[in-house]
Amino acid sequence: MKRIIIIVLSVLLGAFVLIQLIPYGHQHTNPPVVQEPQWDSPQTRELAQRACFDCHSNEVVWPWYSNIAPVSWLVQRDVDEGRRYLNFSDWGRVREANEIPEAIQRGYMPPAKFLIMHPDAKLDQVEKDALVNGLQATIRGQ
């Protein structure tokens, strides 16, 4: 029985080491900021930066675990998808800006799985209301 456990652990360790060689999720890039929205206030930008920028901007802070597969694959996929849908650093490409405040109001953003590892992104109700109102004013001002 002990021999089987050692073999299983060795295979798992070997697989873990091998998946580190898969390049996806290891080359973290932050392209240059092209165009940010004309924020209605510094507070709106600060709240958006805290709660949204790590998936929805070109100013992602890549945590240490984003270099370790298979977590690196999930983080890279989330950032790629987040930037594709909404990128505060490339505001000229944003199509459905009016959906942003609603997603925050309904609690879809930031997603719960993100908040587990980024507790500082969690907004209390006052902050959430300020962000929603600020984003609505920012969008109207564009």
Side-chain angles (χ1 to χ4, degrees), residues 104-117:
I104 295 166
Q105 280 177 323
R106 293 181 182 250
Y108 301 145
M109 290 289 147
K113 70 178 182 175
F114 177 78
L115 294 174
I116 292 169
M117 297 302 285

Side-chain angles (χ1 to χ4, degrees), residues 27-58:
Q27 296 181 357
H28 306 302
T29 60
N30 278 328
V33 174
V34 178
Q35 176 189 357
E36 278 200 25
Q38 292 182 344
W39 300 100
D40 76 308
S41 72
Q43 179 193 23
T44 302
R45 187 189 190 282
E46 182 181 312
L47 289 169
Q49 183 177 24
R50 192 174 112 205
C52 312
F53 273 33
D54 273 345
C55 288
H56 295 286
S57 80
N58 294 347

Side-chain angles (χ1 to χ4, degrees), residues 34-139:
V34 178
Q35 176 189 357
E36 278 200 25
Q38 292 182 344
W39 300 100
D40 76 308
S41 72
Q43 179 193 23
T44 302
R45 187 189 190 282
E46 182 181 312
L47 289 169
Q49 183 177 24
R50 192 174 112 205
C52 312
F53 273 33
D54 273 345
C55 288
H56 295 286
S57 80
N58 294 347
E59 300 177 47
V60 174
V61 176
W62 298 95
W64 65 268
Y65 54 82
S66 67
N67 293 302
I68 301 170
V71 175
S72 61
W73 306 338
L74 301 172
V75 172
Q76 186 69 57
R77 185 203 59 181
D78 288 348
V79 170
D80 290 347
E81 187 177 300
R83 285 177 175 167
R84 193 171 22 258
Y85 184 76
L86 166 68
N87 190 337
F88 286 106
S89 300
D90 196 358
W91 192 250
R93 288 186 334 112
V94 174
R95 291 184 211 95
E96 304 294 332
N98 291 327
E99 293 179 9
I100 302 165
E102 184 179 337
I104 295 166
Q105 280 177 323
R106 293 181 182 250
Y108 301 145
M109 290 289 147
K113 70 178 182 175
F114 177 78
L115 294 174
I116 292 169
M117 297 302 285
H118 299 85
D120 54 320
K122 185 171 177 62
L123 303 176
D124 63 32
Q125 193 58 50
V126 172
E127 292 170 322
K128 190 182 284 192
D129 291 343
L131 178 57
V132 166
N133 292 332
L135 286 171
Q136 287 170 334
T138 298
I139 292 164

